[in-house]
Amino acid sequence: MLDSDQTKEIITILKQTVAVPSLVKAKSDPFETLIITILSQNTADKNSDAAFTRLKQSFQIIPKNLAEANPAEIEKCIKSAGLCKSKTGTIQAVSKIIQEKYSGSISRVLLLPFEEARKSLMDMPGIGPKTADVVLLFSAQRPTIPVDTHINRVSKRLGIAPKTGNYESVRLSLQKLFDETDYLLAHQLLIGHGRKFCKAKKPLCNTCPIVNYCETNGVF
């Protein structure tokens, strides 16, 4: 297992070798961040980005409007993101909860103590830990590291997370190693590294800039 000094070295190297990905989830409005993160579930960023753009062209992205919208109209807008019926149901359910329970402001949730805010988000239909963590990190700068498929793969190959760890054990392992001030950057760079070098199939170990830190080092 790498120590905190080594993970700092990894961050330094990745800053020089991997472009920070432009994540579509990073919206200025926290409710918009929540909606596009829901749309991004089980699809590529380009698909969720296109769906969000169409949705925003048709609706003002606020809880009241989406809660009261005709489901068929939402489905039509977000078709490119896939699973449009399911995602429409989630969008309308969380919009209704935020409108009725939090007076239409998701900021009321994000201002709660961290664990309470995280639980409140995850108690909403269709909101899992990754979606909650994305909203908390990007929209409220709260101390968490969302774990997507790239981060899960890269961290386990490097040996900085348990090989058979679940979402929570991977997240907590990373948070122990990285400084809180680096959580957002670590999240972005590990995704970028997973896309560019540490690919699911045929990882580019021969050109990987952090191969010397890797526990598996080309064993595929």
Side-chain angles (χ1 to χ4, degrees), residues 43-63:
T43 193
D45 282 350
K46 65 179 182 179
N47 297 331
S48 56
D49 195 27
F52 181 80
T53 298
R54 288 199 65 188
L55 187 67
K56 195 167 183 178
Q57 288 170 348
S58 299
F59 298 95
Q60 183 182 5
I61 309 297
I62 59 174

Side-chain angles (χ1 to χ4, degrees), residues 25-43:
K25 304 176 190 70
K27 298 296 178 183
S28 58
D29 179 81
F31 184 67
E32 290 190 359
T33 300
L34 175 63
I35 296 304
I36 197 167
T37 306
I38 292 169
L39 292 174
S40 73
Q41 294 170 358
N42 301 302
T43 193

